[in-house]
Amino acid sequence: QLQLVQSGGGLVQPGGSLRLSCAASGYTSDVYSIAWFRQGPGKERVGVSIISISDGSTIYAESVKGRFTISRDNAKNTVYLQMNFLKPEDTAVYYCAAGLGGWVTDWYDYWGQGTQVTVSS
């Protein structure tokens, strides 16, 4: 029932910024967190950041701490990922996901369609 639609992404130079959006529609009772994952070429999908639906608390992967910010707008049913000081290693397809929480993909039942972020000069 819950659907996640992503927007944003694109090509930016190293050091640049980009904001991703994840808009949710529908309802489910088993969603406690919204997370951002990313998957680079030939790599596994890994967690980037997590935000709690209930209290807005946030968690970040070490690789993005200090550079990325996850936030929510409950009135718009939207979660954002603000990405600053982007590096080439940030290049990946980014996915938003809704589910129980944690860093494991199996704990999320609802996924956005993914959006490409490319950081290159």
Side-chain angles (χ1 to χ4, degrees):
Q1 293 182 341
L2 185 68
Q3 295 183 343
L4 304 178
V5 179
Q6 298 179 224
S7 61
L11 174 64
V12 297
Q13 294 185 338
S17 299
L18 200 62
R19 189 178 78 160
L20 306 181
S21 298
C22 178
S25 62
Y27 174 81
T28 183
S29 62
D30 61 351
V31 172
Y32 294 87
S33 299
I34 305 294
W36 289 95
F37 289 80
R38 68 185 183 187
Q39 186 169 18
K43 298 182 178 180
E44 66 178 1
R45 190 173 300 182
V46 296
V48 176
S49 186
I50 307 170
I51 187 167
S52 169
I53 294 296
S54 60
D55 62 9
S57 61
T58 59
I59 306 173
Y60 298 91
E62 288 294 329
S63 60
V64 305
K65 282 184 178 179
R67 301 188 299 120
F68 290 11
T69 302
I70 190 170
S71 62
R72 64 177 181 174
D73 186 337
N74 288 343
K76 296 181 178 180
N77 293 319
T78 300
V79 173
Y80 304 94
L81 184 67
Q82 178 67 47
M83 304 182 293
N84 299 323
F85 304 102
L86 283 162
K87 305 174 181 179
E89 50 262 45
D90 295 318
T91 295
V93 177
Y94 284 71
Y95 300 88
C96 64
L100 297 178
W103 295 109
V104 180
T105 58
D106 287 349
W107 295 339
Y108 296 87
D109 292 326
Y110 309 95
W111 291 83
Q113 78 277 20
T115 184
Q116 178 71 47
V117 172
T118 301
V119 184
S120 177
S121 59

